[in-house]
Amino acid sequence: MQHIFKKVPLFAELNEDEIAAVISITTTHNVGKNNVIVQAGDDGNAMFVLLNGSVKISYYAPDGREVILSLLEEGAFFGEMSLLDKQPRSATVTTLETAKIAQIRRRDFERLLLKKPELSLKLLSEVVSRLRRTSLILERISTMDVPHRLYSYLQDYCERFGKPHDDGILIHLPTHQLIADQLSTSRETISRAISSLKKEAIITPISSREVCIDTDAIETLLLAIQ
């Protein structure tokens, strides 16, 4: 478990003994696919680290439509905002596949911050980064047509989760429905846009889920709207 915690930005600079101390205050849970871990509106008394699997962070608009704010993979943490402001959960977190999570209760987390105050700066940095990403989502929806929302989304996704591969970036592409839910459009529209990018060899399938993205071409497409 230590090697996973070492990947978590919040704990990345801790030494092995300090990470072991963090692990000692966690409890782990295996959660099945499509299960809610955190429900918007609930009291927030713990934060979580995703040890494996993936989750989506979402909320429901007044018309009942689900809006996906972010996708998180192994090494990410979530649920920290309610620990900071002691307000109800602001979003719902749902597993996209079977996942293993580590839970840290509020009182233990507060003790940890008192012992390692530098973690507070890292925590604030991550919170700000997520707020910026949420602002970017809103900007995409309000100012861009669907193809350019997709280009911006792919660029951001490659930066967050991608690995270098040949002349591009290798990613596990989310389902077309998940992408559509994040970009406030239909699955069919996203499927057509992705098919077009595949025909132009900007997206190259590697396996059933893995694709290679030509990020230089994506950048060129984005610049075309300026």
Side-chain angles (χ1 to χ4, degrees):
M1 193 185 298
Q2 279 205 358
H3 72 284
I4 297 177
F5 270 78
K6 195 67 177 175
K7 295 179 183 178
V8 181
L10 184 60
F11 307 123
E13 294 182 12
L14 298 183
N15 62 40
E16 290 188 3
D17 289 339
E18 290 168 333
I19 290 179
V22 173
I23 293 173
S24 71
I25 63 173
T26 68
T27 54
T28 59
H29 308 273
N30 292 310
V31 185
K33 182 179 179 180
N34 295 328
N35 276 263
V36 172
I37 301 172
V38 166
Q39 180 71 55
D42 286 352
D43 290 336
N45 57 7
M47 68 167 288
F48 305 87
V49 177
L50 189 57
L51 301 178
N52 61 43
S54 58
V55 301
K56 62 179 178 179
I57 300 177
S58 63
Y59 75 94
Y60 286 88
D63 61 4
R65 177 174 48 89
E66 183 183 27
V67 179
I68 297 179
L69 300 174
S70 185
L71 304 180
L72 300 179
E73 298 185 349
E74 178 182 305
F77 62 90
F78 56 91
E80 76 289 341
M81 289 185 65
S82 290
L83 297 192
L84 294 174
D85 62 12
K86 298 184 180 179
Q87 295 297 309
R89 301 290 191 186
S90 60
T92 297
V93 181
T94 308
T95 55
L96 295 173
E97 58 188 317
T98 299
K100 185 175 183 179
I101 60 171
Q103 177 180 351
I104 305 176
R105 294 174 299 179
R106 173 187 281 131
R107 62 176 181 270
D108 294 325
F109 188 66
E110 288 175 344
R111 292 192 193 106
L112 179 63
L113 291 182
L114 289 173
K115 290 180 181 178
K116 302 292 294 182
E118 64 271 23
L119 294 182
S120 298
L121 293 176
K122 288 184 172 291
L123 184 61
L124 288 173
S125 177
E126 180 64 21
V127 170
V128 169
S129 176
R130 293 182 185 183
L131 288 174
R132 289 184 185 277
R133 191 168 295 120
T134 299
S135 295
L136 178 61
I137 291 171
L138 295 175
E139 180 184 351
R140 287 172 184 154
I141 293 172
S142 62
T143 64
M144 294 179 176
D145 60 19
V146 172
H148 287 91
R149 290 181 214 170
L150 177 62
Y151 307 153
S152 180
Y153 173 85
L154 291 173
Q155 184 183 60
D156 178 60
Y157 201 87
C158 286
E159 289 175 357
R160 294 173 62 203
F161 302 119
K163 299 178 181 178
H165 178 80
D166 294 338
D167 295 323
I169 299 295
L170 186 70
I171 62 170
H172 283 82
L173 190 68
T175 66
H176 293 183
Q177 186 63 62
L178 279 174
I179 297 174
D181 289 341
Q182 292 174 86
L183 300 183
S184 191
T185 188
S186 68
R187 181 184 61 80
E188 292 76 15
T189 300
I190 291 299
S191 295
R192 287 194 296 269
I194 288 177
S195 293
S196 178
L197 291 176
K198 287 180 177 179
K199 289 178 182 177
E200 297 174 22
I202 295 173
I203 295 180
T204 303
I206 303 299
S207 65
S208 60
R209 284 285 305 279
E210 287 186 321
V211 298
C212 183
I213 307 288
D214 183 343
T215 50
D216 290 337
I218 292 291
E219 178 72 20
T220 299
L221 290 171
L222 277 171
L223 291 174
I225 68 172
Q226 302 298 326

